[in-house]
Amino acid sequence: MLLAITKTREAGRGELLFEEGQKADGFFVVVSGKIKVFKLSPDGRERILHVIQPGNSFADAAIFADGAFPAFAMCIDQSTLLFFPRDQFLGLLHRHPQLAINMIAGLSRFLRNFASQIEDLTFRDVPARLARFLVSECEKGRQQVTLTVSKAQLASNLGTTSETLSRTLRKLADEGLIAVQGRTIKLLDINRLDDLVDAARF
């Protein structure tokens, strides 16, 4: 049923998928590539809210309520997307309640993640935000993280500047908590990184 209404879309690197305030005519699932969802300040500065990885959806909530996109979305890489048209998808929700329940569960997980992001920005300083990101992204059984976005994009996602992020990476490396090799960051002392997350607050 979902495949019957789905449209596949190829989008190039840097392509803008939608703008804040634009009517939401549907939502997307990322098949390949990466998408950044962001806001722009009045002076044009970009603040990344989320980086959407393959297998995840975005703009789901926008098809409800006032039906407008709350932010901008742009492709970080060449991307393949599945597009679900609003009216046809809402029709499926009305006819198949289990689909609606599954969607609510997904939106609830997204809301919890967003609440954690707000908590980080409110209560934790930049070293603690970075430590939390590294620990949460660390692959099971491996104590390293390979960045899938640029350091500038990561800095925006963490609510800081590229310069501050670079200084923080150097500081954690000097203290023996991490080792940085290009886009790969090895976690040398996860326990101390956990302590940093818990202890460092404004």
PDB file of all heavy atoms in Angstrom, residues 65-93:
ATOM      1  N   ALA A  65      -1.418  19.383  11.524  1.00  0.00           N
ATOM      2  CA  ALA A  65      -1.590  20.752  12.026  1.00  0.00           C
ATOM      3  C   ALA A  65      -1.762  21.740  10.880  1.00  0.00           C
ATOM      4  O   ALA A  65      -2.603  21.549  10.011  1.00  0.00           O
ATOM      5  CB  ALA A  65      -0.408  21.132  12.926  1.00  0.00           C
ATOM      6  N   ASP A  66      -0.878  22.787  10.844  1.00  0.00           N
ATOM      7  CA  ASP A  66      -1.060  23.818   9.816  1.00  0.00           C
ATOM      8  C   ASP A  66      -0.494  23.402   8.461  1.00  0.00           C
ATOM      9  O   ASP A  66      -0.664  24.104   7.466  1.00  0.00           O
ATOM     10  CB  ASP A  66      -0.439  25.137  10.264  1.00  0.00           C
ATOM     11  CG  ASP A  66       1.069  25.053  10.481  1.00  0.00           C
ATOM     12  OD1 ASP A  66       1.632  23.956  10.320  1.00  0.00           O
ATOM     13  OD2 ASP A  66       1.675  26.086  10.805  1.00  0.00           O
ATOM     14  N   GLY A  67       0.191  22.244   8.436  1.00  0.00           N
ATOM     15  CA  GLY A  67       0.663  21.727   7.161  1.00  0.00           C
ATOM     16  C   GLY A  67       1.757  22.523   6.507  1.00  0.00           C
ATOM     17  O   GLY A  67       1.851  22.582   5.281  1.00  0.00           O
ATOM     18  N   ALA A  68       2.641  23.147   7.313  1.00  0.00           N
ATOM     19  CA  ALA A  68       3.758  23.924   6.768  1.00  0.00           C
ATOM     20  C   ALA A  68       5.075  23.371   7.299  1.00  0.00           C
ATOM     21  O   ALA A  68       5.153  22.900   8.440  1.00  0.00           O
ATOM     22  CB  ALA A  68       3.628  25.401   7.143  1.00  0.00           C
ATOM     23  N   PHE A  69       6.110  23.404   6.468  1.00  0.00           N
ATOM     24  CA  PHE A  69       7.425  22.943   6.907  1.00  0.00           C
ATOM     25  C   PHE A  69       7.991  23.928   7.933  1.00  0.00           C
ATOM     26  O   PHE A  69       8.007  25.137   7.682  1.00  0.00           O
ATOM     27  CB  PHE A  69       8.379  22.826   5.724  1.00  0.00           C
ATOM     28  CG  PHE A  69       8.026  21.730   4.751  1.00  0.00           C
ATOM     29  CD1 PHE A  69       7.721  22.026   3.430  1.00  0.00           C
ATOM     30  CD2 PHE A  69       7.994  20.409   5.158  1.00  0.00           C
ATOM     31  CE1 PHE A  69       7.397  21.023   2.527  1.00  0.00           C
ATOM     32  CE2 PHE A  69       7.667  19.387   4.268  1.00  0.00           C
ATOM     33  CZ  PHE A  69       7.369  19.701   2.952  1.00  0.00           C
ATOM     34  N   PRO A  70       8.477  23.449   9.089  1.00  0.00           N
ATOM     35  CA  PRO A  70       8.967  24.334  10.144  1.00  0.00           C
ATOM     36  C   PRO A  70      10.423  24.751   9.980  1.00  0.00           C
ATOM     37  O   PRO A  70      10.946  25.533  10.778  1.00  0.00           O
ATOM     38  CB  PRO A  70       8.790  23.482  11.407  1.00  0.00           C
ATOM     39  CG  PRO A  70       8.997  22.082  10.916  1.00  0.00           C
ATOM     40  CD  PRO A  70       8.411  22.037   9.524  1.00  0.00           C
ATOM     41  N   ALA A  71      11.103  24.219   8.968  1.00  0.00           N
ATOM     42  CA  ALA A  71      12.528  24.514   8.778  1.00  0.00           C
ATOM     43  C   ALA A  71      12.889  24.276   7.306  1.00  0.00           C
ATOM     44  O   ALA A  71      12.037  23.944   6.488  1.00  0.00           O
ATOM     45  CB  ALA A  71      13.376  23.628   9.699  1.00  0.00           C
ATOM     46  N   PHE A  72      14.170  24.460   7.000  1.00  0.00           N
ATOM     47  CA  PHE A  72      14.701  24.187   5.663  1.00  0.00           C
ATOM     48  C   PHE A  72      15.278  22.780   5.641  1.00  0.00           C
ATOM     49  O   PHE A  72      15.707  22.257   6.673  1.00  0.00           O
ATOM     50  CB  PHE A  72      15.815  25.173   5.298  1.00  0.00           C
ATOM     51  CG  PHE A  72      15.381  26.605   5.203  1.00  0.00           C
ATOM     52  CD1 PHE A  72      15.239  27.383   6.347  1.00  0.00           C
ATOM     53  CD2 PHE A  72      15.122  27.188   3.966  1.00  0.00           C
ATOM     54  CE1 PHE A  72      14.849  28.716   6.258  1.00  0.00           C
ATOM     55  CE2 PHE A  72      14.728  28.510   3.868  1.00  0.00           C
ATOM     56  CZ  PHE A  72      14.587  29.276   5.020  1.00  0.00           C
ATOM     57  N   ALA A  73      15.329  22.160   4.466  1.00  0.00           N
ATOM     58  CA  ALA A  73      15.989  20.863   4.301  1.00  0.00           C
ATOM     59  C   ALA A  73      16.816  20.883   3.031  1.00  0.00           C
ATOM     60  O   ALA A  73      16.327  21.309   1.974  1.00  0.00           O
ATOM     61  CB  ALA A  73      14.975  19.725   4.257  1.00  0.00           C
ATOM     62  N   MET A  74      18.069  20.434   3.140  1.00  0.00           N
ATOM     63  CA  MET A  74      18.989  20.452   2.004  1.00  0.00           C
ATOM     64  C   MET A  74      19.825  19.179   1.989  1.00  0.00           C
ATOM     65  O   MET A  74      20.171  18.639   3.049  1.00  0.00           O
ATOM     66  CB  MET A  74      19.912  21.678   2.085  1.00  0.00           C
ATOM     67  CG  MET A  74      20.924  21.800   0.966  1.00  0.00           C
ATOM     68  SD  MET A  74      21.964  23.278   1.134  1.00  0.00           S
ATOM     69  CE  MET A  74      20.793  24.566   0.720  1.00  0.00           C
ATOM     70  N   CYS A  75      20.155  18.692   0.804  1.00  0.00           N
ATOM     71  CA  CYS A  75      20.980  17.492   0.660  1.00  0.00           C
ATOM     72  C   CYS A  75      22.441  17.815   0.957  1.00  0.00           C
ATOM     73  O   CYS A  75      23.003  18.753   0.384  1.00  0.00           O
ATOM     74  CB  CYS A  75      20.864  16.925  -0.744  1.00  0.00           C
ATOM     75  SG  CYS A  75      19.204  16.411  -1.201  1.00  0.00           S
ATOM     76  N   ILE A  76      23.043  17.039   1.845  1.00  0.00           N
ATOM     77  CA  ILE A  76      24.477  17.156   2.095  1.00  0.00           C
ATOM     78  C   ILE A  76      25.249  16.423   1.005  1.00  0.00           C
ATOM     79  O   ILE A  76      26.299  16.865   0.554  1.00  0.00           O
ATOM     80  CB  ILE A  76      24.831  16.582   3.482  1.00  0.00           C
ATOM     81  CG1 ILE A  76      24.170  17.423   4.582  1.00  0.00           C
ATOM     82  CG2 ILE A  76      26.343  16.537   3.689  1.00  0.00           C
ATOM     83  CD1 ILE A  76      24.375  16.851   5.974  1.00  0.00           C
ATOM     84  N   ASP A  77      24.697  15.286   0.568  1.00  0.00           N
ATOM     85  CA  ASP A  77      25.300  14.462  -0.480  1.00  0.00           C
ATOM     86  C   ASP A  77      24.264  14.230  -1.588  1.00  0.00           C
ATOM     87  O   ASP A  77      23.076  14.547  -1.425  1.00  0.00           O
ATOM     88  CB  ASP A  77      25.724  13.089   0.072  1.00  0.00           C
ATOM     89  CG  ASP A  77      26.707  13.191   1.213  1.00  0.00           C
ATOM     90  OD1 ASP A  77      27.593  14.057   1.141  1.00  0.00           O
ATOM     91  OD2 ASP A  77      26.580  12.407   2.177  1.00  0.00           O
ATOM     92  N   GLN A  78      24.717  13.647  -2.683  1.00  0.00           N
ATOM     93  CA  GLN A  78      23.771  13.119  -3.667  1.00  0.00           C
ATOM     94  C   GLN A  78      22.871  12.127  -2.953  1.00  0.00           C
ATOM     95  O   GLN A  78      23.347  11.231  -2.244  1.00  0.00           O
ATOM     96  CB  GLN A  78      24.537  12.425  -4.799  1.00  0.00           C
ATOM     97  CG  GLN A  78      23.661  11.748  -5.838  1.00  0.00           C
ATOM     98  CD  GLN A  78      22.961  12.723  -6.757  1.00  0.00           C
ATOM     99  OE1 GLN A  78      23.489  13.807  -7.004  1.00  0.00           O
ATOM    100  NE2 GLN A  78      21.797  12.356  -7.249  1.00  0.00           N
ATOM    101  N   SER A  79      21.560  12.281  -3.087  1.00  0.00           N
ATOM    102  CA  SER A  79      20.642  11.495  -2.263  1.00  0.00           C
ATOM    103  C   SER A  79      19.521  10.878  -3.088  1.00  0.00           C
ATOM    104  O   SER A  79      19.084  11.443  -4.098  1.00  0.00           O
ATOM    105  CB  SER A  79      20.028  12.378  -1.166  1.00  0.00           C
ATOM    106  OG  SER A  79      21.024  12.944  -0.338  1.00  0.00           O
ATOM    107  N   THR A  80      19.073   9.722  -2.622  1.00  0.00           N
ATOM    108  CA  THR A  80      17.864   9.095  -3.149  1.00  0.00           C
ATOM    109  C   THR A  80      16.825   9.121  -2.034  1.00  0.00           C
ATOM    110  O   THR A  80      17.100   8.678  -0.910  1.00  0.00           O
ATOM    111  CB  THR A  80      18.120   7.643  -3.588  1.00  0.00           C
ATOM    112  OG1 THR A  80      19.112   7.624  -4.615  1.00  0.00           O
ATOM    113  CG2 THR A  80      16.847   7.007  -4.111  1.00  0.00           C
ATOM    114  N   LEU A  81      15.638   9.626  -2.351  1.00  0.00           N
ATOM    115  CA  LEU A  81      14.599   9.817  -1.346  1.00  0.00           C
ATOM    116  C   LEU A  81      13.306   9.132  -1.777  1.00  0.00           C
ATOM    117  O   LEU A  81      13.029   9.006  -2.978  1.00  0.00           O
ATOM    118  CB  LEU A  81      14.319  11.309  -1.143  1.00  0.00           C
ATOM    119  CG  LEU A  81      15.517  12.203  -0.847  1.00  0.00           C
ATOM    120  CD1 LEU A  81      15.142  13.660  -1.005  1.00  0.00           C
ATOM    121  CD2 LEU A  81      16.044  11.943   0.558  1.00  0.00           C
ATOM    122  N   LEU A  82      12.534   8.712  -0.807  1.00  0.00           N
ATOM    123  CA  LEU A  82      11.168   8.284  -1.044  1.00  0.00           C
ATOM    124  C   LEU A  82      10.256   9.407  -0.571  1.00  0.00           C
ATOM    125  O   LEU A  82      10.388   9.882   0.558  1.00  0.00           O
ATOM    126  CB  LEU A  82      10.843   7.001  -0.281  1.00  0.00           C
ATOM    127  CG  LEU A  82      11.652   5.757  -0.633  1.00  0.00           C
ATOM    128  CD1 LEU A  82      11.191   4.573   0.213  1.00  0.00           C
ATOM    129  CD2 LEU A  82      11.531   5.425  -2.117  1.00  0.00           C
ATOM    130  N   PHE A  83       9.337   9.824  -1.432  1.00  0.00           N
ATOM    131  CA  PHE A  83       8.411  10.900  -1.089  1.00  0.00           C
ATOM    132  C   PHE A  83       7.016  10.335  -0.921  1.00  0.00           C
ATOM    133  O   PHE A  83       6.524   9.585  -1.776  1.00  0.00           O
ATOM    134  CB  PHE A  83       8.409  11.973  -2.182  1.00  0.00           C
ATOM    135  CG  PHE A  83       7.415  13.072  -1.942  1.00  0.00           C
ATOM    136  CD1 PHE A  83       7.645  14.016  -0.951  1.00  0.00           C
ATOM    137  CD2 PHE A  83       6.248  13.156  -2.689  1.00  0.00           C
ATOM    138  CE1 PHE A  83       6.731  15.031  -0.714  1.00  0.00           C
ATOM    139  CE2 PHE A  83       5.327  14.165  -2.462  1.00  0.00           C
ATOM    140  CZ  PHE A  83       5.568  15.116  -1.463  1.00  0.00           C
ATOM    141  N   PHE A  84       6.371  10.688   0.209  1.00  0.00           N
ATOM    142  CA  PHE A  84       5.019  10.232   0.508  1.00  0.00           C
ATOM    143  C   PHE A  84       4.074  11.426   0.436  1.00  0.00           C
ATOM    144  O   PHE A  84       4.105  12.296   1.310  1.00  0.00           O
ATOM    145  CB  PHE A  84       4.962   9.597   1.903  1.00  0.00           C
ATOM    146  CG  PHE A  84       5.748   8.319   2.019  1.00  0.00           C
ATOM    147  CD1 PHE A  84       7.120   8.343   2.260  1.00  0.00           C
ATOM    148  CD2 PHE A  84       5.123   7.086   1.876  1.00  0.00           C
ATOM    149  CE1 PHE A  84       7.848   7.166   2.360  1.00  0.00           C
ATOM    150  CE2 PHE A  84       5.851   5.905   1.975  1.00  0.00           C
ATOM    151  CZ  PHE A  84       7.206   5.948   2.204  1.00  0.00           C
ATOM    152  N   PRO A  85       3.221  11.513  -0.581  1.00  0.00           N
ATOM    153  CA  PRO A  85       2.303  12.648  -0.720  1.00  0.00           C
ATOM    154  C   PRO A  85       1.334  12.744   0.467  1.00  0.00           C
ATOM    155  O   PRO A  85       0.802  11.724   0.932  1.00  0.00           O
ATOM    156  CB  PRO A  85       1.543  12.338  -2.010  1.00  0.00           C
ATOM    157  CG  PRO A  85       2.409  11.356  -2.746  1.00  0.00           C
ATOM    158  CD  PRO A  85       3.082  10.554  -1.679  1.00  0.00           C
ATOM    159  N   ARG A  86       1.118  13.941   0.939  1.00  0.00           N
ATOM    160  CA  ARG A  86       0.336  14.185   2.150  1.00  0.00           C
ATOM    161  C   ARG A  86      -1.074  13.577   2.077  1.00  0.00           C
ATOM    162  O   ARG A  86      -1.448  12.780   2.950  1.00  0.00           O
ATOM    163  CB  ARG A  86       0.234  15.692   2.401  1.00  0.00           C
ATOM    164  CG  ARG A  86      -0.630  16.080   3.596  1.00  0.00           C
ATOM    165  CD  ARG A  86      -0.711  17.600   3.742  1.00  0.00           C
ATOM    166  NE  ARG A  86      -1.452  17.954   4.928  1.00  0.00           N
ATOM    167  CZ  ARG A  86      -2.771  18.099   4.975  1.00  0.00           C
ATOM    168  NH1 ARG A  86      -3.490  17.906   3.873  1.00  0.00           N
ATOM    169  NH2 ARG A  86      -3.373  18.430   6.100  1.00  0.00           N
ATOM    170  N   ASP A  87      -1.853  13.969   1.094  1.00  0.00           N
ATOM    171  CA  ASP A  87      -3.260  13.561   1.060  1.00  0.00           C
ATOM    172  C   ASP A  87      -3.410  12.051   0.951  1.00  0.00           C
ATOM    173  O   ASP A  87      -4.260  11.442   1.629  1.00  0.00           O
ATOM    174  CB  ASP A  87      -3.979  14.259  -0.094  1.00  0.00           C
ATOM    175  CG  ASP A  87      -4.094  15.759   0.122  1.00  0.00           C
ATOM    176  OD1 ASP A  87      -3.959  16.205   1.288  1.00  0.00           O
ATOM    177  OD2 ASP A  87      -4.299  16.496  -0.862  1.00  0.00           O
ATOM    178  N   GLN A  88      -2.605  11.428   0.106  1.00  0.00           N
ATOM    179  CA  GLN A  88      -2.698   9.979  -0.057  1.00  0.00           C
ATOM    180  C   GLN A  88      -2.252   9.243   1.196  1.00  0.00           C
ATOM    181  O   GLN A  88      -2.839   8.233   1.585  1.00  0.00           O
ATOM    182  CB  GLN A  88      -1.868   9.540  -1.267  1.00  0.00           C
ATOM    183  CG  GLN A  88      -2.446  10.010  -2.598  1.00  0.00           C
ATOM    184  CD  GLN A  88      -1.450   9.821  -3.726  1.00  0.00           C
ATOM    185  OE1 GLN A  88      -0.516  10.604  -3.888  1.00  0.00           O
ATOM    186  NE2 GLN A  88      -1.661   8.784  -4.522  1.00  0.00           N
ATOM    187  N   PHE A  89      -1.209   9.774   1.866  1.00  0.00           N
ATOM    188  CA  PHE A  89      -0.733   9.120   3.087  1.00  0.00           C
ATOM    189  C   PHE A  89      -1.760   9.265   4.212  1.00  0.00           C
ATOM    190  O   PHE A  89      -2.013   8.303   4.952  1.00  0.00           O
ATOM    191  CB  PHE A  89       0.606   9.707   3.511  1.00  0.00           C
ATOM    192  CG  PHE A  89       1.225   8.993   4.684  1.00  0.00           C
ATOM    193  CD1 PHE A  89       1.874   7.788   4.507  1.00  0.00           C
ATOM    194  CD2 PHE A  89       1.132   9.514   5.965  1.00  0.00           C
ATOM    195  CE1 PHE A  89       2.428   7.110   5.588  1.00  0.00           C
ATOM    196  CE2 PHE A  89       1.669   8.849   7.053  1.00  0.00           C
ATOM    197  CZ  PHE A  89       2.322   7.644   6.861  1.00  0.00           C
ATOM    198  N   LEU A  90      -2.350  10.455   4.365  1.00  0.00           N
ATOM    199  CA  LEU A  90      -3.370  10.636   5.403  1.00  0.00           C
ATOM    200  C   LEU A  90      -4.563   9.720   5.155  1.00  0.00           C
ATOM    201  O   LEU A  90      -5.195   9.225   6.099  1.00  0.00           O
ATOM    202  CB  LEU A  90      -3.817  12.099   5.446  1.00  0.00           C
ATOM    203  CG  LEU A  90      -2.783  13.107   5.976  1.00  0.00           C
ATOM    204  CD1 LEU A  90      -3.350  14.515   5.943  1.00  0.00           C
ATOM    205  CD2 LEU A  90      -2.342  12.743   7.392  1.00  0.00           C
ATOM    206  N   GLY A  91      -4.878   9.479   3.882  1.00  0.00           N
ATOM    207  CA  GLY A  91      -5.943   8.538   3.560  1.00  0.00           C
ATOM    208  C   GLY A  91      -5.631   7.144   4.063  1.00  0.00           C
ATOM    209  O   GLY A  91      -6.509   6.443   4.600  1.00  0.00           O
ATOM    210  N   LEU A  92      -4.370   6.722   3.913  1.00  0.00           N
ATOM    211  CA  LEU A  92      -3.968   5.412   4.436  1.00  0.00           C
ATOM    212  C   LEU A  92      -4.085   5.362   5.957  1.00  0.00           C
ATOM    213  O   LEU A  92      -4.493   4.339   6.519  1.00  0.00           O
ATOM    214  CB  LEU A  92      -2.524   5.102   4.021  1.00  0.00           C
ATOM    215  CG  LEU A  92      -2.279   4.652   2.583  1.00  0.00           C
ATOM    216  CD1 LEU A  92      -0.799   4.347   2.377  1.00  0.00           C
ATOM    217  CD2 LEU A  92      -3.112   3.425   2.245  1.00  0.00           C
ATOM    218  N   LEU A  93      -3.725   6.446   6.639  1.00  0.00           N
ATOM    219  CA  LEU A  93      -3.817   6.476   8.098  1.00  0.00           C
ATOM    220  C   LEU A  93      -5.262   6.295   8.557  1.00  0.00           C
ATOM    221  O   LEU A  93      -5.529   5.598   9.542  1.00  0.00           O
ATOM    222  CB  LEU A  93      -3.263   7.792   8.642  1.00  0.00           C
ATOM    223  CG  LEU A  93      -1.765   8.068   8.486  1.00  0.00           C
ATOM    224  CD1 LEU A  93      -1.385   9.342   9.236  1.00  0.00           C
ATOM    225  CD2 LEU A  93      -0.922   6.903   8.984  1.00  0.00           C
TER     226      LEU A  93
END
